[in-house]
Amino acid sequence: MIKKIIAAAAALAVFGAANAGAADFYGTLKKIKDSGTIVVGHRESSVPFAYIGPDNKPIGYSIDLCMKIVDAVAKEVGVDKLNVKLVPVTPQTRIPLIANGNINIECGSTTNNLTRQKQVDYALTTFITGTKILAKKTSGIKEVEDLAGKAIALAQGTTNERAIKNAIKDLGIKDVKILSVKDHAEGFLALETDRVDAYSTDHILLFGLISKAKKPADYEVVGRFVSFDPYALMLPRDDSAMRLVANRTLAGLFRSGEILDIYNKWFMKPIPGGKALNVPAGDTLETNFAVQAFPK
Amino acid sequence: MIMLGDFDFGVIVTALPYLWDGMQLSLLLTGLAAVGSIFLGTLLALMRLSSIRLFQWIGAIWVNFFRSLPLLLVIFWFYFLVPLIVQGQVDAFESALIGFVLFEAAYFCEIMRSGIQSISRGQAWSGYALGLKYSQTMRYVVLPQAFRNMLPILLTQTIILFQDTSLVFVVGLADFMTSAVTVAQRDSRLVELYVFAALVYFVMCYFASLSVKILQKKMHK
Amino acid sequence: MNYNWNWGILFEEPYFDWLVSGVEWTLFVSAVAWIIAFSLGSIVGVARTVDSVPIRAVATAYVELFRNIPLIVQMFLWFYVVPEMVPDDWGRWMKRDMPFPEATSAIFCLGTYTASRVAEQVRAGIESIPVGQRAAGLAMGLTTVQVYRYLLVPVGYRIIVPPLTSEFLTIFKNSSLALTIGVAELLYQARQIENYTFQGFEAFTSVTLIYLVLTMIVVALMVSVEEKTKIPGYGIQKDK
């Protein structure tokens, strides 16, 4: 009897869902269904989350996760194969582009914070990091206080830019010269070519930059965490149907443990175009995955 | 210090197919934007020269408005803010194209205006005398000659337009410039890639303007 | 369109200060670059009209080189490439110790680029003076230098005031490209305000208006200069 009821309920649920699915798409999913295209924004130098690989295509941890979501979206709207249009974004362009509807999902290394939630929405947290400083070993910089009298590059529109600027102001650090750059690649090049003494972004990205450097041994990540930065894939605001598809996919990966395979692929093994980062997931991140492994 | 001998030409060779994709986009954008803005510019020129006040004003405001703004600002407007107004996705290429057409039309308008003015009034009058309407006179008598006279200047402005397309770099549209920067940053080969990009643009624009000069000489024979 | 308008944000701190400092940088970069463009452009322009073939060739090469490379590429060459091509000490100085490395690179870039355009105007101005006048000058016993000093340059420049005005406006508009190498000029500030407040419309609208107003001021100033410098009966008649 109970089995029958469950079966009937399940059948009803499936029927209902299918019915709803056929007619009731709205917002992003409707746009995707109508155009047959999903527009994916991606970063170009957030190693190993989203960066341009040796064959000039974006690859990385966030890209892998995004592609899982793209497949789920295709299934949801009932299309066999969605056209995936890739649009490169920078820290400065990503939020306006999600807000103006030009990209449907952003795969990169974006911090989820409450200010940004006024403009955009986020899927579940996929990584946890914070601001640190990358310096040449010879520079003598060991902490944020050592920036006095030195030059540092910061990427426009990043949370790190504000964290470091605030730290400089709050701690009264004197004579810091700030070079404003467009993205991490430009910032690292400024460091590599001795234009600045340090570059600052999330500590995991700093390891990513080192892994691709010509002389990795010359650089070190120093200092305490200046900010707390949980990463999430960015989505359009006020669109819970789209967010549900994304979160269902991510929760599935967290539940099955597949997330750790994807994690290890990008953080523990050599990556295309660079060396292995060798940063284990660690307790915080594994707890994060466990806590967000919502049941079906 | 980097000497010429230190140049890593290999980086450029490997990147060539990717850069070529970028160049195709640059050329496509230039071609479409040129056609669109010459067409719109001609319309604006006719408006500026029309006897109807309202048209004169629209033409004059358009030209003076866009000529007062940096192209970069116009590109930003169309990339970030117009999609918000129209509430829909606007492809990056399309938004750049629309921006270029509206902006460059202001410059082409002024070229076409002087082109039309260079045709003697008598020609238009004889058109009317033959019983042609305004549109017919313009289409069959005045505009073909104006285009012909202005061809070298229109082409020169198109070369400038080609150079201007490199500005789409700021919105990440993968033109030649953007592709060169992407490779430069990915492989940390700034010097090689930027010098190469400069060289490519120089050779293309130099020979294009040389051809325009030759054309100009032929026309003046 | 569901957008939360908030024009007041533009007058809040620090955003208002950002706009003001953006205007200052835009004007500063344009003005200094214009000084370079005008002086260098004059030299190159005059050099293109002299009799000496090698001098003319060098001047022509300069114009062709700077005219045929997009400005943004030149910006990157000055900022990223030049410091790597010079001896290491100089390169380090350019990258670190030079005052405002980004703005200085942008100024040199805009100045040298616009110089090639100014040179063309100067040449056109001088060439528009009938050859007879030069011949008359020489016949009176003036040296070539004197012919340039007292005849060709003063007359030539008065003819080309209107096109020079538009070159100045060009440099002013082109200064926005300095944001690509990190100069905090007007457009840069608009984007920064958008980034901090998400009020992109207000930021970009205000910047658009600022550009329009500044252009109008420059045009008005130059109209009065044109009136004063106009040579009766010379140059192109303005259409009414």
Side-chain angles (χ1 to χ4, degrees), chain B:
Chain B
M1 177 169 167
I2 295 179
M3 305 295 285
L4 206 59
D6 302 334
F7 261 46
D8 184 355
F9 292 105
V11 176
I12 296 169
V13 174
T14 351
L16 275 181
Y18 183 65
L19 295 173
W20 170 234
D21 286 348
M23 182 51 84
Q24 284 173 307
L25 190 137
S26 296
L27 292 172
L28 184 69
L29 184 60
T30 308
L32 293 177
V35 171
S37 48
I38 290 176
F39 181 75
L40 182 60
T42 307
L43 280 184
L44 287 168
L46 290 174
M47 286 171 99
R48 290 204 75 173
L49 294 170
S50 108
S51 49
I52 302 164
R53 271 281 157 81
L54 179 70
F55 283 179
Q56 290 176 12
W57 280 343
I58 296 175
I61 289 173
W62 188 299
V63 168
N64 289 319
F65 178 76
F66 278 104
R67 299 223 301 183
S68 302
L69 297 180
L71 176 55
L72 218 48
L73 177 65
V74 177
I75 293 175
F76 283 135
W77 266 106
F78 279 88
Y79 194 60
F80 296 116
L81 303 169
V82 169
L84 214 56
I85 299 172
V86 300
Q87 286 287 299
Q89 270 160 22
V90 183
D91 182 76
F93 182 82
E94 286 163 19
S95 76
L97 180 59
I98 297 168
F100 273 105
V101 168
L102 300 186
F103 180 85
E104 301 282 343
Y107 291 82
F108 280 112
C109 165
E110 292 305 275
I111 297 172
M112 283 313 292
R113 187 163 72 123
S114 52
I116 294 168
Q117 282 176 328
S118 74
I119 309 298
S120 79
R121 283 265 154 151
Q123 299 227 13
W125 288 333
S126 43
Y128 296 136
L130 281 166
L132 296 179
K133 285 184 290 188
Y134 171 79
S135 59
Q136 290 171 320
T137 311
M138 280 299 159
R139 203 171 139 202
Y140 299 113
V141 181
V142 178
L143 287 181
Q145 298 187 67
F147 268 118
R148 212 189 111 78
N149 291 350
M150 288 293 128
L151 191 60
I153 305 179
L154 290 173
L155 289 173
T156 304
Q157 182 66 30
T158 305
I159 297 171
I160 296 173
L161 171 61
F162 172 64
Q163 293 191 15
D164 283 346
T165 58
S166 61
L167 294 185
V168 298
F169 164 73
V170 294
V171 293
L173 189 56
D175 77 323
F176 180 66
M177 177 67 187
T178 311
S179 312
V181 175
T182 305
V183 176
Q185 298 193 340
R186 188 196 63 196
D187 301 341
S188 9
R189 289 288 178 188
L190 298 183
V191 175
E192 285 88 344
L193 265 299
Y194 294 166
V195 170
F196 179 70
L199 205 66
V200 169
Y201 274 115
F202 176 77
V203 169
M204 291 179 72
C205 295
Y206 180 72
F207 282 102
S209 44
L210 210 60
S211 321
V212 173
K213 267 182 205 145
I214 293 168
L215 175 79
Q216 208 166 8
K217 276 205 183 116
K218 270 193 185 153
M219 282 173 60
H220 281 297
K221 259 186 197 159

Side-chain angles (χ1 to χ4, degrees), chain A residues 194-225:
Chain A
D194 268 327
R195 203 176 274 282
V196 291
D197 303 293
Y199 178 62
S200 174
T201 185
D202 297 319
H203 101 291
I204 187 67
L205 296 176
L206 298 176
F207 285 111
L209 290 171
I210 292 180
S211 80
K212 287 190 72 208
K214 279 185 207 146
K215 294 177 191 161
D218 288 0
Y219 305 94
E220 61 182 342
V221 176
V222 298
R224 59 182 184 273
F225 279 109

Side-chain angles (χ1 to χ4, degrees), chain C:
Chain C
M1 189 168 91
N2 46 356
Y3 183 84
N4 301 318
W5 294 93
N6 180 6
W7 290 96
I9 195 100
L10 297 173
F11 299 98
E12 280 171 24
E13 293 310 323
Y15 310 120
F16 186 73
D17 284 352
W18 289 1
L19 282 178
V20 172
S21 107
V23 172
E24 286 169 0
W25 274 111
T26 291
L27 291 177
F28 177 73
V29 167
S30 318
V32 182
W34 178 248
I35 296 172
I36 295 176
F38 187 76
S39 11
L40 187 58
S42 300
I43 296 169
V44 177
V46 168
R48 288 202 72 180
T49 63
V50 299
D51 291 331
S52 153
V53 176
I55 293 182
R56 248 187 4 232
V58 170
T60 308
Y62 178 92
V63 171
E64 292 297 341
L65 183 66
F66 281 87
R67 253 208 330 202
N68 285 312
I69 299 175
L71 185 55
I72 189 170
V73 179
Q74 295 192 27
M75 201 65 92
F76 281 31
L77 289 179
W78 280 102
F79 191 61
Y80 294 111
V81 177
V82 171
E84 308 297 330
M85 305 290 274
V86 297
D88 285 345
D89 290 352
W90 298 12
R92 196 178 154 76
W93 182 81
M94 290 179 76
K95 286 187 276 197
R96 300 295 286 273
D97 304 326
M98 182 165 85
F100 305 109
E102 300 93 272
T104 310
S105 304
I107 287 169
F108 270 98
C109 173
L110 283 166
T112 51
Y113 171 79
T114 314
S116 71
R117 301 170 56 112
V118 170
E120 282 301 272
Q121 306 291 359
V122 170
R123 177 177 73 114
I126 291 176
E127 283 179 351
S128 74
I129 300 167
V131 190
Q133 296 207 12
R134 183 196 291 239
L138 292 171
M140 283 173 68
L142 297 179
T143 62
T144 309
V145 176
Q146 286 172 324
V147 169
Y148 272 96
R149 165 83 180 74
Y150 296 110
L151 176 68
L152 298 178
V153 170
V155 176
Y157 271 87
R158 286 177 70 176
I159 295 171
I160 58 164
V161 168
L164 282 184
T165 316
S166 71
E167 288 309 329
F168 179 75
L169 286 177
T170 308
I171 218 172
F172 164 68
K173 288 179 283 176
N174 279 339
S175 67
S176 59
L177 260 76
L179 72 85
T180 57
I181 56 171
V183 178
E185 48 71 66
L186 192 49
L187 199 48
Y188 174 102
Q189 297 292 5
R191 302 191 75 198
Q192 179 154 297
I193 293 173
E194 180 192 39
N195 259 271
Y196 274 68
T197 65
F198 303 115
Q199 302 291 342
F201 265 104
E202 293 84 341
F204 278 90
T205 306
S206 64
V207 164
T208 305
L209 287 176
I210 293 173
Y211 273 112
L212 287 175
V213 170
L214 288 176
T215 304
M216 279 193 277
I217 294 173
V218 173
V219 169
L221 282 177
M222 293 315 276
V223 165
S224 67
V225 174
E226 279 171 34
E227 286 298 316
K228 287 205 184 93
T229 56
K230 192 165 67 183
I231 307 173
Y234 246 107
I236 309 141
Q237 290 293 310
K238 269 201 170 169
D239 41 60
K240 288 274 155 30

Side-chain angles (χ1 to χ4, degrees), chain A residues 266-292:
Chain A
W266 293 104
F267 294 91
M268 300 302 288
K269 296 183 185 131
I271 55 170
K275 298 177 184 59
L277 269 70
N278 282 322
V279 179
D283 288 345
T284 317
L285 192 59
E286 281 185 16
T287 311
N288 167 66
F289 292 149
V291 168
Q292 295 184 105

Side-chain angles (χ1 to χ4, degrees), chain A residues 89-210:
Chain A
V89 301
T90 67
Q92 253 192 333
T93 63
R94 57 190 165 179
I95 291 172
L97 286 179
I98 283 278
N100 75 10
N102 258 2
I103 57 178
N104 304 132
I105 183 168
E106 193 247 3
C107 323
S109 50
T110 302
T111 302
N112 180 349
N113 68 30
L114 298 170
T115 317
R116 288 175 175 174
Q117 283 188 25
K118 284 195 262 176
Q119 297 294 312
V120 295
D121 199 359
Y122 291 91
L124 300 175
T125 302
T126 50
F127 197 85
I128 291 171
T129 180
T131 305
K132 281 205 181 191
I133 292 167
L134 178 66
K136 282 203 172 147
K137 284 182 181 159
T138 49
S139 72
I141 297 174
K142 294 287 168 211
E143 257 304 347
V144 61
E145 283 81 0
D146 299 332
L147 289 175
K150 297 271 168 52
I152 185 167
L154 297 170
Q156 299 157 20
T158 57
T159 47
N160 323 104
E161 181 192 24
R162 287 184 220 185
I164 293 288
K165 279 184 180 170
N166 286 340
I168 289 170
K169 210 168 94 190
D170 297 344
L171 300 170
I173 305 170
K174 295 273 183 304
D175 294 333
V176 185
K177 188 189 170 317
I178 291 171
L179 175 70
S180 178
V181 296
K182 200 169 118 188
D183 208 342
H184 306 315
E186 215 174 285
F188 187 72
L189 280 170
L191 179 62
E192 198 175 38
T193 54
D194 268 327
R195 203 176 274 282
V196 291
D197 303 293
Y199 178 62
S200 174
T201 185
D202 297 319
H203 101 291
I204 187 67
L205 296 176
L206 298 176
F207 285 111
L209 290 171
I210 292 180

